[in-house]
Amino acid sequence: MDKDDKIYVAGHRGLVGSAIVLNLEQKGYRNLLVRTHAELDLTRQEAVEAFFADEKPDHVFLAAAKAGGIYANNTYPAEFIRDNLMIQTNIIHEAYRNNVRRLLYLGSSCIYPKFAPQPIKEEYLLNGSLEPTNRPYALAKIAGIEMCWSYNRQYGTQYLAVMPANLYGPGDSYDLNNSHVIPALIRKVHEAKVDGATTVTVWGSGTPRREFLYSDDLADACVFLMSLRDDEYAKLLGRSGTPVESGAPGFAPLLNIGAGVDVAIGELAEMIKQVAGYTGEIVFDTSKPDGTPRKLMDSSRINAMGWKRRIMLREGLCRVYSNFIGHCNYKKPVFELEDANSGVTNEHT
C-alpha cells in the first residue's frame, strides 16, 4: 500500500476496525474510506455495489462482522450465519468487480475443528468437526475464506484471510449476554466490586484454555501484511503447494495471527480480579457450556516474516480495564452491543 492509496476499512467503529484505522493513521495513511451503518448497510447488495462503484478503493480491510460469545451464538444462530454471509459476499464480490488490488478478510480462530491438534496450524482447516455452539458463525467465516481463495484462483485477485486469536481491547462490547469472555468478566468483576458482592459467577468449569490478542496488535499485523512487497504477499495467496485436499490446488490464503501463549479461563478470571482490585471469590457454574477445550494457534508463519505481538496479557487487561471505567457511569457502561459498520458487534472469537 502506498500512503496516498484509497483504503476502505469495513467495520471502522468496531473493536478491530477502529484499531486498524488508528494504526493506518499513525503510519501516515490519510486517504481512508469509512461508513457508518446508517450510511451503508453492508447486508444490502445494491448499497454495497453503489458504494464501490462510486469510491473505487484500492485496498479493503474487511473487519465488519456479526460476532459474540457462547450465549449470543446459541441465541441468534440464524443472524450469525445470514448476516456474515451477506456482508462478506457483497464486499468480496464488489472488490473484484471494481479492481481492488488487495483485500484482507478478518476471520476467526473458531473456524478450526473443536479437537484440532495444538497449536493449531492453518492446514488443519476442515480436518474435523466444529464446536457446535458457534458452528453457524464458523461456517460463514469458512465460506469467506473459500470465497477469497476461489476468486484468487479464478480471477487472479489478491485476497488474504487472517485468523486472529480471541481479541480484546478498548471500545469492546460489555453487554453481559453478547460479549466475549474478557469484557464480560471485566464488567462482572467491576460491578461486584462496586456493589460489594462477595462472589462473581463465571460460566463453565474454568478449565478451557484460550489465547488472547490485544486489538492494537492485530491491527498492526494486518497493516504489516497489507504493506508487504508484491513478491512476499503473493506467497500467501494459496496458489501453489500441496493440495489441502484432493482436487484443491494449493493451500488456502490463510494466516494465523496470535499471541503464542494461552491461559485457562479460571486463571484469566483471577488476573482480571487482581487488575480490578476485587477481593471476592470467583465461582464457576459448571451447568453452563465450556466450548472448545483449548484454542492455541500456531503463528509461526507470520512470526517468521518479522511480526510478533507486543502487548502482554496483563498489560492489555490493565489498559482495557482503565478504558472500561472511563466509559461507564460507575456501574452500567454507556456502550452496549452496537456496531461495526454493519450494525453489529465487530469481534473475532
Side-chain angles (χ1 to χ4, degrees):
M1 296 186 301
D2 294 327
K3 292 296 192 291
D4 59 350
D5 284 346
K6 187 178 285 190
I7 302 169
Y8 172 44
V9 181
H12 75 284
R13 294 172 63 186
L15 175 63
V16 179
S18 61
I20 289 174
V21 168
L22 179 62
N23 190 281
L24 287 167
E25 290 176 342
Q26 290 173 340
K27 289 183 166 70
Y29 296 94
R30 299 300 176 190
N31 198 2
L32 305 183
L33 287 172
V34 295
R35 293 290 187 275
T36 64
H37 176 62
E39 295 168 326
L40 176 60
D41 183 348
L42 295 176
T43 65
R44 294 182 60 234
Q45 182 179 356
E46 65 276 15
V48 178
E49 180 179 345
F51 168 75
F52 272 84
D54 290 342
E55 296 293 348
K56 299 289 185 182
D58 297 302
H59 308 283
V60 172
F61 289 85
L62 208 178
K66 183 177 184 68
I70 291 176
Y71 176 87
N73 275 275
N74 274 332
T75 307
Y76 311 110
E79 283 89 340
F80 273 88
I81 192 165
R82 181 197 65 213
D83 289 357
N84 284 303
L85 286 173
M86 289 193 294
I87 290 166
Q88 65 203 31
T89 299
N90 291 339
I91 292 177
I92 292 170
H93 185 61
E94 290 309 316
Y96 155 66
R97 293 184 67 226
N98 290 275
N99 301 310
V100 166
R101 298 208 298 270
R102 291 184 181 182
L103 178 145
L104 192 76
Y105 170 76
L106 272 294
S108 166
S109 60
C110 76
I111 65 162
Y112 291 115
K114 179 174 182 177
F115 299 108
Q118 306 287 318
I120 305 171
K121 298 179 182 293
E122 289 90 347
E123 55 262 38
Y124 296 164
L125 180 65
L126 298 178
N127 282 343
S129 59
L130 299 168
E131 160 57 41
T133 59
N134 59 23
R135 186 170 60 188
Y137 175 73
L139 286 171
K141 285 299 176 181
I142 291 170
I145 298 167
E146 189 69 27
M147 193 170 181
C148 288
W149 194 11
S150 298
Y151 274 60
N152 289 350
R153 286 154 52 194
Q154 185 170 342
Y155 300 124
T157 52
Q158 299 190 70
Y159 300 163
L160 177 64
V162 295
M163 300 302 111
N166 290 60
L167 294 174
Y168 69 108
D172 212 337
S173 167
Y174 290 87
D175 180 278
L176 289 178
N177 288 328
N178 296 293
S179 63
H180 289 140
V181 61
I182 284 182
L185 285 175
I186 285 175
R187 179 170 174 179
K188 282 185 175 183
V189 167
H190 177 75
E191 292 185 353
K193 174 185 173 182
V194 170
D195 294 339
T198 58
T199 63
V200 168
T201 301
V202 177
W203 272 30
S205 65
T207 60
R209 301 186 67 86
R210 294 291 183 269
E211 176 184 18
F212 296 99
L213 184 69
Y214 197 73
S215 57
D216 287 354
D217 276 339
L218 173 62
D220 189 67
C222 291
V223 175
F224 167 81
L225 291 169
M226 289 283 271
S227 304
L228 289 172
R229 297 194 318 264
D230 288 341
D231 60 329
E232 296 175 324
Y233 187 82
K235 295 176 183 177
L236 306 174
L237 298 181
R239 291 180 181 152
S240 63
T242 305
V244 173
E245 59 185 11
S246 178
F251 288 109
L254 177 63
L255 197 67
N256 290 339
I257 303 177
V261 294
D262 60 2
V263 62
I265 296 300
E267 296 171 331
L268 173 68
E270 288 297 327
M271 291 177 69
I272 292 174
K273 173 181 164 179
Q274 293 171 16
V275 166
Y278 174 61
T279 57
E281 181 185 2
I282 303 293
V283 297
F284 297 94
D285 181 357
T286 56
S287 69
K288 297 296 192 295
D290 272 336
T292 303
R294 190 184 187 196
K295 278 200 302 184
L296 175 64
M297 297 195 304
D298 183 340
S299 300
S300 58
R301 289 178 62 203
I302 191 171
N303 293 161
M305 298 168 64
W307 181 89
K308 291 186 179 180
R309 67 97 179 243
R310 294 174 297 177
I311 300 170
M312 303 296 111
L313 181 57
R314 188 174 294 276
E315 176 189 351
L317 291 175
C318 289
R319 290 188 185 192
V320 294
Y321 182 67
S322 177
N323 178 266
F324 170 79
I325 61 177
H327 288 80
C328 66
N329 56 6
Y330 197 55
K331 283 189 179 183
K332 179 179 173 56
V334 296
F335 39 78
E336 291 289 350
L337 184 66
E338 159 73 36
D339 193 50
N341 198 22
S342 58
V344 291
T345 309
N346 178 13
E347 296 183 47
H348 305 273
T349 313

